[in-house]
Amino acid sequence: MDLYGSKERFDIFPEEPSGRGDRSLGDTRRESAPSSEKVQRPQEVGYDLEKEVAELAKMYGLDEDREKELELLGGRLEKVESRWPPARTEKAGLQGSLYNRSKSSSSVKDPSQSTKQQGLPDEASQGENQSKARADDEAESSTWSRGGLSSGGMSDEWNSQAVSEEEVEEEEEEEEAADVFCSTCKIPIRAFDKLFGEHKDHEVAQLPSAVESEKEEIHKNMCKLEEQIAQMENVASHLEEIFITVEENFGRQEQNFEVHYNDAVQVLAQKYEEQLEALGEEKRQKLEALYEQLVSCGKHLDTCKELTDETQELFLENDKVEFMKVKKFLKQEVNLELSTLPDFEERTIDVSEVEQLMNSINAIPAPCAPVINPQAPNAATGTSLRVCWGLFSDDTVECYQLCYQPVKHTLKVKETYCTITDLLPNTQYEFWVSALNASGISPPSERAVYVTAPSPPIIKNKKIQSCENAALVCWESRDINPVDSYTVELSKLTDEENDDIITESIVGIPNCEVLIHLQPTQKYYICVRAQNLGGSSERSEPVLIHTTGTCFYLNEDTAHPLLAILDDGFTISCDELENPECDLPVYDNSFTRCIAILGSLIPFPGRHYWEVEVEEDTEYRVGVAFENTPRHGHLGANNSSWCMRHIITPSRHKYEFLHSGMTPDIRITVPPRRIGILLDYENCRLSFFNADIAQHLHTFNSHFQHYVHPCFALETPGILRIHTGITTPPWTALP
């Protein structure tokens, strides 16, 4: 298919915007144009088309099709050259070259195949010849206009029309919107530029997806900028704090210099006054001594003058006796040595104190007060505390002095932290710290209260209750001060070696007991920790709990004074029924008439089973009772207790099942030696069984408004053995 002759070539080579008169003139001259005009065109134009095609092929990577383009230079490209002026832009040359490539490829292939490849409809293929003829006519008209009207107004009009075509084409190209995004150049481009332009080998993406990607990238960058802004604000705040600290330190240093210099000047002035006073005193003493000697010399001088005059008179008188007296007087010696020297002694000025003051000017000042940190979580044990502090200034510190009480202790440390040991568990301590250097000690910091971790609790083994799916654990604190909460840690025992691995933790328990839900037929090690602000205590001693059946303990506070509990904790005995000298302790909650005892409350819903081993010749009562059952009555004689009673008559063993004093008429032929008791809260049943032969004896159907206690009583001296933690036998199931 000849693309140049198709209608698509008008998109690349727009029709010249000439007037109607021009088209008629072109049509007239086209009919009379000489046939040799095409041969003369290259010489008239002077346009090196081969060179331009080579440059464009090299620029856009079209070297592989260069031979095909050169073959077309002498053919149909002459029509393109005749239409476009020599001063055509590179883009127009590229478009011409591209269309000529398409034209060349279409001349080799079958026209129908070319039509399919181009995606053109069949109607366009059918009208190919008509479009080609019309294009040839227009090209010839353009050639005639350039050749025949090379000078004058017609040539100028053609040139203006060509320039107008270029401007219109450029405007249309600029108005064409970009529809893809070049990932290499990071700019939006047209799809045409990807196929044939400079972005041919670049990676592109759809414009909407590129926009979304850029939005995400911009959002990430904004988040990073926000983080950087926050960091810069923190740095600026830190710098501001440092600026204020430098200002404060400078003022303090300046004040320190002023004080030291004033002290030094004061000491120097005092030294000067002292030395000046001593020098004046020495001067006064010297002058007084010299003055006295001068007076004495004056007196001797006067005496000598008088003696000279008198000697001269006696010599003239020639009185020998008087002359000899004068001679004796002349033998007296006169002290002519100076009493003092005019020089002053060399005085050494002691300026050691001044030097010390001057040297202290360069010394660092005493540090500021440190800031002690609040207690960090889990920074304490039962006997130790880790205390931390800081010095928010640039002062030089040699060591710190840490003090704490209630009993005051003082420690010197080098670091800004210290671990204090040998403390009391769950006890509050007050700490404060000071900084020291060569210049002195700082003011103390504000006082901070630290607390040590609690002591490990003590689990009450004898008060642990359990059933097949739960356990009630009780413990007591070893600390005088209250703790914040408790944590129970469970370790399930298996056949593997990792039995000490904690499988569950229950935290935030406010009291010293907790009801734990467990899995049936399992073994658990249970430990308890105490918690406070200082941290967690060590683990308590672990206890072993079985969830094979119901376990409870006997409440000694409810036992009659004549009833004894043996060492195993589950065997009760009575040696005699009356003891007037009984001095056993009697509690307010004890039975006073019936020799009985209550077991611990069974606070677990569901079915609970235990057994009582009895002796054949012992009279007893076993069953359950409410907490408020009367302590001065007998079990089963009121509406708050249910029990099975065994009494011995002369004729037989009699068994009664009592509640509110009433009993059904039941005869038991085989006396039970092991009585099974099944308490079923959900079905409101209390059943008794002969466990030795799996025989059902009797069942109370009663709605238990509250949880009940197991109860046991002896009416004759004997022993009852209680067995707990027994799996409920399958034969206890009743219809």
Side-chain angles (χ1 to χ4, degrees), residues 311 314-315 319-328:
T311 301
L314 291 176
F315 180 77
D319 188 353
K320 295 181 179 180
V321 177
E322 294 294 333
F323 184 77
M324 291 301 296
K325 292 180 178 180
V326 174
K327 184 178 179 181
K328 183 179 178 181

Side-chain angles (χ1 to χ4, degrees), residues 63 82 106 120 177 179 238 246 346 388 460 469 510 568 573 593:
D63 295 337
S82 63
S106 64
L120 296 177
D179 49 5
H238 184 60
V246 170
E346 293 293 336
C388 300
K460 300 177 180 179
N469 54 11
D568 62 358
S573 66
R593 186 175 180 181

Side-chain angles (χ1 to χ4, degrees), residues 5-18:
S6 65
K7 62 180 181 180
E8 280 76 8
R9 66 100 177 175
F10 294 107
D11 297 335
I12 306 301
F13 306 105
E15 190 175 3
E16 297 178 2
S18 57

Side-chain angles (χ1 to χ4, degrees), residues 387-627:
V387 185
C388 300
W389 59 89
L391 191 67
F392 295 97
S393 64
D394 56 355
D395 294 336
T396 301
V397 177
E398 295 180 359
C399 64
Y400 295 93
Q401 179 176 289
L402 178 64
C403 303
Y404 64 96
Q405 56 183 24
V407 179
K408 187 173 180 180
H409 294 80
T410 302
L411 300 174
K412 285 191 176 181
V413 294
K414 293 289 186 180
E415 297 80 11
T416 56
Y417 60 89
C418 182
T419 300
I420 300 94
T421 57
D422 299 330
L423 303 178
L424 298 177
N426 198 27
T427 305
Q428 290 185 351
Y429 289 87
E430 195 175 38
F431 289 87
W432 65 95
V433 64
S434 301
L436 292 85
N437 61 13
S439 299
I441 184 171
S442 73
S445 65
E446 295 184 359
R447 301 197 175 194
V449 176
Y450 281 56
V451 60
T452 53
S455 300
I458 301 175
I459 298 179
K460 300 177 180 179
N461 294 335
K462 295 183 179 181
K463 291 189 177 182
I464 292 179
Q465 300 172 246
S466 63
C467 64
E468 293 182 354
N469 54 11
L472 180 64
V473 183
C474 302
W475 60 87
E476 62 181 5
S477 176
R478 296 168 54 185
D479 300 315
I480 300 176
N481 298 324
V483 300
D484 295 341
S485 64
Y486 295 93
T487 299
V488 174
E489 298 176 350
L490 288 78
S491 301
K492 183 186 295 185
L493 296 183
T494 60
D495 296 334
E496 300 178 359
E497 298 180 355
N498 55 351
D499 291 342
D500 59 342
I501 296 178
I502 299 174
T503 57
E504 185 179 356
S505 295
I506 304 172
V507 300
I509 304 172
N511 303 319
C512 290
E513 66 176 21
V514 63
L515 180 63
I516 309 170
H517 294 282
L518 304 173
Q519 297 178 0
T521 64
Q522 297 290 336
K523 296 180 181 179
Y524 293 90
Y525 267 128
I526 295 182
C527 301
V528 181
R529 295 177 185 264
Q531 305 276 346
N532 66 1
L533 181 62
S536 175
S537 70
E538 299 294 330
R539 291 183 184 178
S540 65
E541 290 294 329
V543 295
L544 182 62
I545 292 180
H546 299 265
T547 56
T548 54
T550 301
C551 295
F552 55 85
Y553 61 91
L554 298 178
N555 191 348
E556 298 180 5
D557 296 341
T558 63
H560 189 277
L562 296 179
L563 194 67
I565 302 176
L566 301 186
D567 294 338
D568 62 358
F570 292 97
T571 302
I572 60 175
S573 66
C574 178
D575 296 333
E576 53 186 345
L577 298 180
E578 294 182 1
N579 187 0
E581 298 179 357
C582 179
D583 55 354
L584 298 175
V586 178
Y587 301 99
D588 296 337
N589 199 28
S590 300
F591 285 92
T592 58
R593 186 175 180 181
C594 180
I595 304 175
I597 187 173
L598 294 180
S600 58
L601 187 70
I602 301 179
F604 313 111
R607 303 169 74 240
H608 305 280
Y609 180 81
W610 64 94
E611 294 179 354
V612 181
E613 185 179 350
V614 298
E615 295 179 351
E616 186 176 358
D617 57 349
T618 302
E619 296 182 356
Y620 55 84
R621 298 177 187 231
V622 294
V624 297
F626 286 137
E627 173 68 30

